[in-house]
Amino acid sequence: MPSVKMLINWQGKFNFSAKNENGLNVHFDAPSDFGGDGAALTPMENVLASLVVCSGIHIIDFLNKRRHKLNDFSINAFADRREEPPRGFTEIKIEYMFKGEELDENDVKEAIKISEEKYWSVGSMLKETTKIKSAYLINRE
Amino acid sequence: MPSVKMLINWQGKFNFSAKNENGLNVHFDAPSDFGGDGAALTPMENVLASLVVCSGIHIIDFLNKRRHKLNDFSINAFADRREEPPRGFTEIKIEYMFKGEELDENDVKEAIKISEEKYWSVGSMLKETTKIKSAYLINRE
Protein backbone atom coordinates (compact mmCIF):
# COMPACT_ATOMS: atom_id res chain seq x y z
CA MET A 1 0.00 0.00 0.00
CA PRO A 2 1.41 3.45 -0.87
CA SER A 3 2.56 5.12 2.29
CA VAL A 4 3.79 8.43 3.62
CA LYS A 5 6.17 8.88 6.55
CA MET A 6 7.06 12.08 8.37
CA LEU A 7 9.30 12.77 11.35
CA ILE A 8 8.36 15.83 13.39
CA ASN A 9 10.70 17.59 15.81
CA TRP A 10 9.73 20.12 18.43
CA GLN A 11 12.15 23.07 18.44
CA GLY A 12 11.10 25.00 21.53
CA LYS A 13 8.12 27.31 22.14
CA PHE A 14 5.53 26.26 19.55
CA ASN A 15 8.03 25.72 16.74
CA PHE A 16 8.13 22.40 14.94
CA SER A 17 9.92 21.08 11.90
CA ALA A 18 8.71 18.12 9.87
CA LYS A 19 10.95 16.06 7.60
CA ASN A 20 10.17 13.44 4.98
CA GLU A 21 12.34 10.41 4.20
CA ASN A 22 14.43 12.39 1.72
CA GLY A 23 15.25 15.06 4.27
CA LEU A 24 12.97 17.71 2.77
CA ASN A 25 11.31 19.70 5.49
CA VAL A 26 8.71 22.26 6.46
CA HIS A 27 8.46 24.45 9.54
CA PHE A 28 5.42 25.26 11.63
CA ASP A 29 4.47 27.67 14.37
CA ALA A 30 1.32 28.08 16.44
CA PRO A 31 -1.18 30.77 15.38
CA SER A 32 -0.58 34.19 16.97
CA ASP A 33 -3.86 33.99 18.92
CA PHE A 34 -2.40 30.89 20.57
CA GLY A 35 0.91 32.44 21.52
CA GLY A 36 2.89 31.54 18.41
CA ASP A 37 5.44 34.12 17.34
CA GLY A 38 4.90 34.04 13.60
CA ALA A 39 8.04 32.12 12.70
CA ALA A 40 6.27 29.86 10.19
CA LEU A 41 2.88 28.87 8.84
CA THR A 42 0.33 27.29 11.16
CA PRO A 43 -0.94 23.73 10.63
CA MET A 44 -4.30 25.02 9.36
CA GLU A 45 -2.63 27.43 6.90
CA ASN A 46 -0.53 24.53 5.68
CA VAL A 47 -3.56 22.28 5.25
CA LEU A 48 -5.34 24.95 3.22
CA ALA A 49 -2.27 25.41 1.02
CA SER A 50 -1.91 21.63 0.61
CA LEU A 51 -5.54 21.32 -0.41
CA VAL A 52 -5.18 23.89 -3.16
CA VAL A 53 -1.78 22.79 -4.42
CA CYS A 54 -3.13 19.22 -4.62
CA SER A 55 -5.76 20.25 -7.16
CA GLY A 56 -3.31 22.71 -8.77
CA ILE A 57 -0.84 19.91 -9.58
CA HIS A 58 -3.55 17.91 -11.35
CA ILE A 59 -4.78 20.97 -13.22
CA ILE A 60 -1.25 21.65 -14.51
CA ASP A 61 -0.90 17.99 -15.48
CA PHE A 62 -4.16 18.05 -17.43
CA LEU A 63 -3.34 21.29 -19.24
CA ASN A 64 0.14 19.98 -20.08
CA LYS A 65 -1.40 16.88 -21.66
CA ARG A 66 -3.62 19.12 -23.79
CA ARG A 67 -0.50 21.11 -24.72
CA HIS A 68 -1.73 24.40 -23.34
CA LYS A 69 0.85 27.06 -22.62
CA LEU A 70 0.29 28.78 -19.30
CA ASN A 71 2.00 32.10 -18.71
CA ASP A 72 0.90 32.24 -15.10
CA PHE A 73 -1.26 30.33 -12.67
CA SER A 74 -2.13 31.44 -9.16
CA ILE A 75 -4.79 30.46 -6.68
CA ASN A 76 -6.48 32.29 -3.83
CA ALA A 77 -7.90 30.25 -0.98
CA PHE A 78 -10.17 31.56 1.79
CA ALA A 79 -11.37 29.38 4.63
CA ASP A 80 -13.67 29.92 7.59
CA ARG A 81 -13.15 27.96 10.79
CA ARG A 82 -15.44 26.89 13.59
CA GLU A 83 -15.63 29.29 16.53
CA GLU A 84 -15.32 26.51 19.12
CA PRO A 85 -12.70 23.76 19.32
CA PRO A 86 -11.93 21.66 17.45
CA ARG A 87 -11.74 24.58 15.01
CA GLY A 88 -11.81 22.73 11.70
CA PHE A 89 -12.75 24.49 8.47
CA THR A 90 -16.45 25.06 7.81
CA GLU A 91 -16.25 26.54 4.32
CA ILE A 92 -13.48 26.99 1.78
CA LYS A 93 -13.51 29.18 -1.33
CA ILE A 94 -10.93 28.67 -4.06
CA GLU A 95 -10.24 31.05 -6.96
CA TYR A 96 -8.09 29.63 -9.76
CA MET A 97 -6.51 32.35 -11.90
CA PHE A 98 -5.04 31.35 -15.25
CA LYS A 99 -3.02 33.48 -17.64
CA GLY A 100 -2.30 32.42 -21.22
CA GLU A 101 -2.95 33.86 -24.72
CA GLU A 102 -4.67 30.83 -26.18
CA LEU A 103 -6.16 29.00 -23.22
CA ASP A 104 -9.31 27.09 -24.11
CA GLU A 105 -12.02 27.70 -21.53
CA ASN A 106 -13.55 24.24 -21.92
CA ASP A 107 -10.22 22.61 -21.24
CA VAL A 108 -9.71 24.80 -18.18
CA LYS A 109 -13.16 23.81 -16.87
CA GLU A 110 -12.45 20.16 -17.55
CA ALA A 111 -9.03 20.38 -15.87
CA ILE A 112 -10.65 21.76 -12.71
CA LYS A 113 -13.53 19.30 -12.77
CA ILE A 114 -11.37 16.19 -13.22
CA SER A 115 -8.85 17.38 -10.64
CA GLU A 116 -11.48 18.12 -8.02
CA GLU A 117 -13.72 15.14 -8.69
CA LYS A 118 -11.26 12.37 -9.49
CA TYR A 119 -7.74 13.14 -8.29
CA TRP A 120 -8.10 15.43 -5.30
CA SER A 121 -6.50 13.35 -2.53
CA VAL A 122 -6.56 16.16 0.05
CA GLY A 123 -9.97 17.40 -1.09
CA SER A 124 -11.49 13.93 -0.81
CA MET A 125 -10.68 14.00 2.90
CA LEU A 126 -11.76 17.57 3.68
CA LYS A 127 -14.98 17.46 1.65
CA GLU A 128 -16.63 15.26 4.27
CA THR A 129 -16.60 18.01 6.90
CA THR A 130 -16.17 21.21 4.87
CA LYS A 131 -18.16 22.90 2.14
CA ILE A 132 -15.73 23.62 -0.72
CA LYS A 133 -16.54 25.96 -3.62
CA SER A 134 -14.30 26.95 -6.49
CA ALA A 135 -14.34 29.48 -9.30
CA TYR A 136 -11.90 30.39 -12.08
CA LEU A 137 -10.73 33.37 -14.05
CA ILE A 138 -8.93 33.30 -17.40
CA ASN A 139 -6.73 36.21 -18.39
CA ARG A 140 -5.67 35.99 -22.05
CA GLU A 141 -2.36 37.80 -21.75
CA MET B 1 -15.80 34.06 11.87
CA PRO B 2 -12.07 33.21 12.16
CA SER B 3 -10.62 32.85 8.72
CA VAL B 4 -7.50 31.72 6.92
CA LYS B 5 -6.25 33.07 3.61
CA MET B 6 -3.52 31.70 1.39
CA LEU B 7 -2.16 32.79 -1.99
CA ILE B 8 -0.63 30.03 -4.08
CA ASN B 9 1.71 30.62 -7.02
CA TRP B 10 2.70 28.10 -9.64
CA GLN B 11 6.43 28.23 -10.31
CA GLY B 12 6.82 25.99 -13.33
CA LYS B 13 6.82 22.16 -13.63
CA PHE B 14 4.92 20.95 -10.54
CA ASN B 15 6.44 23.51 -8.17
CA PHE B 16 4.17 25.74 -6.15
CA SER B 17 4.70 28.22 -3.34
CA ALA B 18 1.99 29.22 -0.89
CA LYS B 19 2.06 32.44 1.12
CA ASN B 20 -0.03 33.63 4.06
CA GLU B 21 -1.03 37.24 4.72
CA ASN B 22 2.19 37.93 6.61
CA GLY B 23 4.36 36.74 3.74
CA LEU B 24 5.38 33.46 5.37
CA ASN B 25 5.53 30.72 2.81
CA VAL B 26 5.87 27.03 2.10
CA HIS B 27 6.92 25.23 -1.08
CA PHE B 28 5.42 22.15 -2.66
CA ASP B 29 6.30 19.72 -5.41
CA ALA B 30 4.42 16.80 -6.93
CA PRO B 31 5.28 13.28 -5.70
CA SER B 32 8.07 11.56 -7.66
CA ASP B 33 5.64 8.92 -8.99
CA PHE B 34 3.77 11.81 -10.60
CA GLY B 35 6.78 13.41 -12.25
CA GLY B 36 7.76 15.78 -9.45
CA ASP B 37 11.47 16.35 -9.06
CA GLY B 38 11.74 16.26 -5.29
CA ALA B 39 12.20 20.00 -4.77
CA ALA B 40 9.82 20.18 -1.80
CA LEU B 41 7.28 18.20 0.19
CA THR B 42 4.14 16.94 -1.51
CA PRO B 43 0.67 18.13 -0.46
CA MET B 44 -0.07 14.80 1.26
CA GLU B 45 3.24 14.87 3.18
CA ASN B 46 2.39 18.39 4.26
CA VAL B 47 -1.09 17.38 5.40
CA LEU B 48 0.33 14.53 7.47
CA ALA B 49 2.86 16.88 9.06
CA SER B 50 0.15 19.49 9.73
CA LEU B 51 -2.05 16.89 11.39
CA VAL B 52 0.67 15.85 13.79
CA VAL B 53 2.01 19.33 14.54
CA CYS B 54 -1.56 20.42 15.28
CA SER B 55 -1.86 17.95 18.14
CA GLY B 56 1.79 18.54 19.07
CA ILE B 57 1.16 22.25 19.69
CA HIS B 58 -1.70 21.47 22.07
CA ILE B 59 0.33 18.79 23.85
CA ILE B 60 3.15 21.30 24.45
CA ASP B 61 0.62 23.87 25.65
CA PHE B 62 -0.90 21.42 28.14
CA LEU B 63 2.46 20.27 29.50
CA ASN B 64 3.59 23.91 29.82
CA LYS B 65 0.52 24.68 31.90
CA ARG B 66 1.35 21.74 34.19
CA ARG B 67 4.92 23.11 34.37
CA HIS B 68 6.57 20.03 32.95
CA LYS B 69 10.06 20.41 31.59
CA LEU B 70 10.51 18.64 28.27
CA ASN B 71 14.05 17.93 27.11
CA ASP B 72 12.90 16.68 23.75
CA PHE B 73 9.70 15.91 21.88
CA SER B 74 9.47 14.24 18.51
CA ILE B 75 6.71 12.50 16.63
CA ASN B 76 6.69 9.81 13.96
CA ALA B 77 3.76 9.67 11.58
CA PHE B 78 2.99 6.85 9.13
CA ALA B 79 0.08 6.97 6.74
CA ASP B 80 -1.35 4.57 4.19
CA ARG B 81 -3.15 5.88 1.13
CA ARG B 82 -5.82 4.47 -1.11
CA GLU B 83 -4.55 2.62 -4.19
CA GLU B 84 -7.00 4.33 -6.55
CA PRO B 85 -7.68 8.06 -6.96
CA PRO B 86 -8.58 10.09 -5.08
CA ARG B 87 -5.74 8.69 -2.96
CA GLY B 88 -6.67 10.02 0.46
CA PHE B 89 -5.27 8.49 3.64
CA THR B 90 -6.86 5.27 4.88
CA GLU B 91 -4.97 4.83 8.13
CA ILE B 92 -2.56 6.99 10.12
CA LYS B 93 -0.30 5.89 12.99
CA ILE B 94 1.25 8.49 15.26
CA GLU B 95 4.05 7.86 17.79
CA TYR B 96 4.65 10.67 20.29
CA MET B 97 8.11 10.44 21.87
CA PHE B 98 8.75 12.51 25.00
CA LYS B 99 12.03 13.03 26.81
CA GLY B 100 12.21 14.56 30.29
CA GLU B 101 13.59 13.48 33.70
CA GLU B 102 10.43 14.07 35.70
CA LEU B 103 7.60 13.72 33.22
CA ASP B 104 4.40 12.46 34.81
CA GLU B 105 2.87 9.71 32.70
CA ASN B 106 -0.69 10.60 33.63
CA ASP B 107 -0.16 14.18 32.52
CA VAL B 108 1.33 13.00 29.25
CA LYS B 109 -1.67 10.75 28.65
CA GLU B 110 -4.06 13.58 29.50
CA ALA B 111 -2.18 16.01 27.23
CA ILE B 112 -2.56 13.62 24.28
CA LYS B 113 -6.19 12.82 25.07
CA ILE B 114 -7.31 16.46 25.40
CA SER B 115 -5.35 17.53 22.33
CA GLU B 116 -6.75 14.75 20.16
CA GLU B 117 -10.32 14.83 21.46
CA LYS B 118 -10.93 18.53 22.05
CA TYR B 119 -8.46 20.76 20.20
CA TRP B 120 -7.37 18.84 17.15
CA SER B 121 -8.55 21.12 14.30
CA VAL B 122 -6.80 19.15 11.56
CA GLY B 123 -7.62 15.80 13.14
CA SER B 124 -11.31 16.66 13.44
CA MET B 125 -11.42 16.95 9.65
CA LEU B 126 -9.35 13.86 8.76
CA LYS B 127 -10.98 11.55 11.32
CA GLU B 128 -14.13 11.35 9.23
CA THR B 129 -12.38 9.49 6.42
CA THR B 130 -9.25 8.07 8.04
CA LYS B 131 -8.58 5.71 10.92
CA ILE B 132 -6.11 7.44 13.25
CA LYS B 133 -4.24 5.63 16.03
CA SER B 134 -1.66 7.06 18.37
CA ALA B 135 0.81 5.75 20.94
CA TYR B 136 3.43 7.37 23.16
CA LEU B 137 6.82 6.67 24.64
CA ILE B 138 8.39 8.44 27.61
CA ASN B 139 12.16 8.51 27.96
CA ARG B 140 13.23 9.81 31.38
CA GLU B 141 16.55 11.29 30.34
Side-chain angles (χ1 to χ4, degrees):
Chain A
M1 200 175 289
S3 64
V4 181
K5 293 182 193 172
M6 296 297 293
L7 171 61
I8 286 83
N9 281 296
W10 174 58
Q11 305 189 304
K13 295 186 180 178
F14 293 116
N15 298 122
F16 287 83
S17 76
K19 196 165 63 175
N20 77 355
E21 288 185 293
N22 298 321
L24 293 168
N25 60 64
V26 57
H27 295 276
F28 292 88
D29 196 357
S32 56
D33 59 8
F34 193 82
D37 44 22
L41 295 178
T42 70
M44 288 294 272
E45 286 176 330
N46 240 301
V47 167
L48 184 61
S50 301
L51 171 77
V52 174
V53 172
C54 185
S55 61
I57 285 171
H58 291 284
I59 288 169
I60 290 292
D61 185 51
F62 184 94
L63 293 177
N64 281 347
K65 283 171 181 159
R66 294 275 167 105
R67 296 171 190 276
H68 283 288
K69 189 181 171 308
L70 268 175
N71 294 336
D72 196 28
F73 177 38
S74 61
I75 316 169
N76 281 318
F78 309 92
D80 289 327
R81 298 178 63 176
R82 283 177 215 290
E83 297 281 353
E84 299 300 323
R87 303 202 303 120
F89 293 131
T90 53
E91 186 166 354
I92 296 172
K93 287 178 194 159
I94 301 172
E95 294 172 358
Y96 300 105
M97 294 168 292
F98 301 87
K99 204 177 267 190
E101 290 90 348
E102 297 175 11
L103 277 175
D104 179 84
E105 181 164 2
N106 285 330
D107 280 353
V108 166
K109 282 165 76 170
E110 195 176 342
I112 294 171
K113 185 178 160 70
I114 285 186
S115 299
E116 292 188 350
E117 291 180 5
K118 183 164 182 191
Y119 294 109
W120 209 6
S121 304
V122 182
S124 68
M125 300 188 295
L126 298 194
K127 273 177 190 171
E128 293 299 312
T129 54
T130 311
K131 198 191 307 180
I132 306 180
K133 291 179 192 174
S134 72
Y136 66 91
L137 199 73
I138 300 176
N139 182 342
R140 289 208 173 70
E141 273 179 17
Chain B
M1 199 175 286
S3 63
V4 181
K5 292 181 193 171
M6 296 296 293
L7 172 62
I8 287 83
N9 282 296
W10 174 59
Q11 304 191 304
K13 294 186 181 178
F14 293 117
N15 298 123
F16 287 83
S17 77
K19 197 164 63 176
N20 77 354
E21 289 184 294
N22 298 321
L24 293 168
N25 60 65
V26 57
H27 295 275
F28 291 89
D29 196 357
S32 56
D33 59 8
F34 194 81
D37 44 23
L41 295 178
T42 70
M44 288 293 273
E45 286 175 330
N46 237 301
V47 168
L48 184 61
S50 302
L51 171 78
V52 175
V53 172
C54 185
S55 61
I57 285 170
H58 291 283
I59 288 169
I60 290 291
D61 186 50
F62 184 94
L63 294 177
N64 281 345
K65 282 171 182 160
R66 294 275 166 106
R67 297 170 189 276
H68 283 288
K69 190 179 171 309
L70 268 174
N71 294 337
D72 195 28
F73 177 39
S74 61
I75 316 170
N76 281 318
F78 309 93
D80 289 328
R81 299 178 64 177
R82 283 178 215 289
E83 297 281 355
E84 299 300 324
R87 302 203 302 119
F89 294 133
T90 53
E91 185 166 355
I92 296 172
K93 288 178 193 159
I94 300 172
E95 294 172 357
Y96 299 106
M97 293 167 293
F98 300 87
K99 205 178 267 191
E101 291 90 348
E102 296 175 13
L103 277 175
D104 179 86
E105 181 164 3
N106 285 330
D107 280 353
V108 166
K109 281 166 76 171
E110 197 177 340
I112 294 171
K113 185 178 160 71
I114 286 186
S115 298
E116 292 188 350
E117 291 180 4
K118 183 163 183 193
Y119 294 109
W120 209 7
S121 304
V122 182
S124 69
M125 300 188 295
L126 298 195
K127 273 178 190 172
E128 293 299 312
T129 54
T130 311
K131 199 190 306 180
I132 306 180
K133 292 180 191 173
S134 72
Y136 66 91
L137 199 73
I138 299 176
N139 182 342
R140 289 208 173 71
E141 272 178 17

